[in-house]
C-alpha cells in the first residue's frame, strides 16, 4: 500500500501519541515501524519504493487512510530533497505537522538525543552553535513549512498545536481524523496517557554507546517486538551517568529566544497558531 497521509513532525511534539491514536482507529493503517525516515535517510531511500511500501502490507481498499510518522522530514536545510521526493512519489498526500514551544522542544529533543546515544555534549556547548544544529532547526516551524509550500498547496497541510493536543486531546485528534478522511467520532481509550515521555536520562558510557550503535544499525527499523527493543535500550544504560534537565540562566534563555522568536511570530501570522505564551 501507499500512504495517504504523513506526519512530518515536529520531533518531541506528541508524534508518538498520535501514532497510538491512529493505530487504534479501524479505518487507519499505520506503518509497522513508527519512523521509517524513508525520504530523509539515504540508507533507506536507496532501498527503493518496494521496501518502503512493504511497510504497509495489506489491501488499500480495506482502509480509508494509510499513514506514517517521520519527524525527520522537517529538518531543512540539513536534509536535501525530502519535499521533492515526497511530492514526486505522492503529490496528493496529506501532511500533518505538530508544533510545540520551540525552546521546550529543543531541550526535550536534546535529552532524547542523549538517551539515544546521539549526543554526548552538554547543552551549554550547543547554544553557541544553534544555526548549525539540525535538531535545533526542527523548531523553526514556519521555515520548515515554507519548504513544503514550494511543492504542496496549503490545503494539504494541517498544522496543529501540541498545547491543544495535550489539553484538548480528543477534540484535536478528531480534527486530524476529519482531515485525513476517517470517522472523526472514534475515541481512543488512552487519550489521557503520555507516550514516549523522557524519564530518567542517562549519558551513555562506552559500552552503552556500542549497544546503541548495534541497535540503530540492526534493530531499530525492524518490525520486532517492542519489549525486545526496550530491553536493548535499557541495557545501553549500563555504566552511564544520569543527567537532569538543563537549567538555563537568563543569558542562555535569551539565546534560545532570539533563535526562535521571529519564526514563531510568522507561524502565528500565517497559520493561526497561538505562540505568544511561548515567550512569556
Amino acid at each position: 500500500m501507499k500512504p495517504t497521509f504523513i506526519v512530518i513532525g515536529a520531533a518531541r511534539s506528541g508524534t508518538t501519541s498520535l501514532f497510538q491514536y491512529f493505530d487504534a482507529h479501524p479505518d487507519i493503517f499505520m506503518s509497522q515501524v513508527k519512523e521509517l525516515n524513508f525520504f530523509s535517510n539515504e540508507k533507506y531511500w536507496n532501498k527503493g519504493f518496494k521496501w518502503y511500501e512493504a511497510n504497509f502490507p495489506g489491501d488499500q481498499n480495506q482502509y480509508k487512510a494509510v499513514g506514517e510518522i517521520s519527524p525527520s522530514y522537517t529538518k531543512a536545510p540539513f536534509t536535501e530533497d525530502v519535499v521533492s521526493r515526497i511530492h514526486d512519489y505522492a503529490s496528493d498526500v496529506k501532511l500533518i505537522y505538530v508544533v510545540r514551544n520551540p525552546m521546550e522542544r529543543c531541550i526535550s529533543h536534546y535529552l532524547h538525543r542523549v538517551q539515544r546515544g546521539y549526543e554526548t555534549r552538554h547543552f551549554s556547548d550547543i547554544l553557541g552553535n544553534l544555526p548549525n544544529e539540525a535538531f535545533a532547526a526542527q523548531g523553526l516551524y514556519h521555515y520548515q513549512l515554507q519548504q513544503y509550500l514550494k511543492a504542496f498547496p496549503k490545503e494539504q497541510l494541517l498544522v496543529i498545536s501540541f498545547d491543544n493536543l495535550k489539553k484538548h486531546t480528543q477534540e484535536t485528534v478528531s480534527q486530524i481524523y476529519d482531515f485525513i478522511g476517517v470517522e472523526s467520532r472514534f475515541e481512543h481509550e488512552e487519550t489521557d496517557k503520555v507516550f514516549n515521555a523522557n524519564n530518567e536520562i542517562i549519558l551513555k558510557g562506552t559500552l552503552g554507546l556500542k549497544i546503541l550503535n548495534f541497535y540503530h544499525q540492526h534493530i531499530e527499523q525492524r518490525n520486532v517486538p517492542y519489549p525486545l527493543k526496550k530491553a536493548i535500550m535499557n541495557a545501553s544504560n549500563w555504566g552511564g551517568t544520569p543527567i537532569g534537565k538543563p537549567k538555563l540562566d537568563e543569558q542562555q534563555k535569551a539565546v534560545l529566544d532570539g533563535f526562535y522568536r521571529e519564526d514563531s511570530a510568522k507561524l502565528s501570522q500565517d497559520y493561526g497558531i497561538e505562540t505568544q505564551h511561548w515567550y512569556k
Side-chain angles (χ1 to χ4, degrees):
M1 294 189 291
K2 293 180 63 172
T4 60
F5 74 93
I6 300 175
V7 180
I8 56 177
R12 308 306 302 166
S13 297
T15 56
T16 298
S17 295
L18 277 186
F19 185 91
Q20 301 299 326
Y21 304 149
F22 291 150
D23 201 40
H25 198 296
D27 294 334
I28 302 174
F29 186 95
M30 295 301 295
S31 62
Q32 295 184 315
V33 174
K34 175 186 172 254
E35 297 183 16
L36 292 173
N37 300 317
F38 175 68
F39 296 101
S40 58
N41 189 311
E42 297 304 310
K43 174 183 176 181
Y44 305 121
W45 174 254
N46 290 332
K47 291 177 180 289
F49 295 128
K50 185 176 181 180
W51 175 88
Y52 181 58
E53 293 174 7
N55 286 278
F56 308 94
D59 181 0
Q60 191 100 33
N61 296 321
Q62 186 178 348
Y63 300 94
K64 293 181 179 179
V66 178
E68 69 131 318
I69 298 177
S70 292
S72 64
Y73 295 164
T74 43
K75 202 163 62 174
F78 298 92
T79 50
E80 298 181 357
D81 303 324
V82 171
V83 176
S84 60
R85 285 174 176 178
I86 294 175
H87 183 267
D88 290 346
Y89 174 71
S91 61
D92 59 346
V93 71
K94 293 184 177 180
L95 306 166
I96 301 164
Y97 195 38
V98 189
V99 297
R100 175 186 181 183
N101 180 318
M103 293 165 287
E104 291 180 359
R105 193 216 67 83
C106 184
I107 293 172
S108 177
H109 200 167
Y110 162 76
L111 292 172
H112 185 69
R113 285 175 55 78
V114 170
Q115 186 71 356
R116 304 281 289 187
Y118 294 131
E119 187 61 74
T120 58
R121 296 171 295 171
H122 292 288
F123 192 73
S124 58
D125 298 327
I126 291 169
L127 285 173
N129 192 46
L130 287 176
N132 301 311
E133 301 288 348
F135 83 93
Q138 288 184 269
L140 296 170
Y141 307 128
H142 186 271
Y143 170 77
Q144 300 298 339
L145 287 166
Q146 289 303 105
Q147 311 313 305
Y148 278 86
L149 289 182
K150 294 175 182 178
F152 293 92
K154 197 171 183 178
E155 293 73 26
Q156 283 176 231
L157 277 165
L158 176 64
V159 184
I160 65 172
S161 166
F162 173 78
D163 297 328
N164 286 338
L165 182 61
K166 186 176 181 180
K167 296 177 183 178
H168 310 290
T169 306
Q170 188 58 54
E171 179 182 339
T172 305
V173 172
S174 293
Q175 179 187 4
I176 301 173
Y177 286 159
D178 187 61
F179 177 71
I180 62 177
V182 299
E183 174 54 61
S184 61
R185 291 173 293 181
F186 175 80
E187 294 188 12
H188 192 279
E189 295 178 353
E190 298 181 303
T191 51
D192 59 342
K193 181 178 179 180
V194 177
F195 296 90
N196 200 29
N198 277 329
N199 295 314
E200 185 179 38
I201 306 300
I202 305 296
L203 186 64
K204 302 300 185 286
T206 302
L207 174 61
L209 290 174
K210 289 182 178 179
I211 292 173
L212 279 180
N213 182 62
F214 172 83
Y215 173 81
H216 294 315
Q217 291 293 322
H218 303 289
I219 303 296
E220 186 173 27
Q221 291 297 97
R222 296 179 62 186
N223 184 27
V224 300
Y226 175 74
L228 175 60
K229 288 187 174 184
K230 188 171 181 62
I232 296 174
M233 292 295 294
N234 289 338
S236 72
N237 291 330
W238 296 340
T241 304
I243 65 170
K245 182 179 179 179
K247 296 181 180 179
L248 307 184
D249 59 32
E250 292 305 314
Q251 183 177 359
Q252 292 172 324
K253 291 178 182 177
V255 171
L256 276 181
D257 183 298
F259 187 68
Y260 290 118
R261 182 182 285 266
E262 182 179 352
D263 182 89
S264 295
K266 292 179 181 177
L267 178 73
S268 179
Q269 178 179 342
D270 290 351
Y271 294 91
I273 301 294
E274 293 186 8
T275 64
Q276 297 90 333
H277 62 289
W278 292 348
Y279 296 91
K280 288 184 180 179

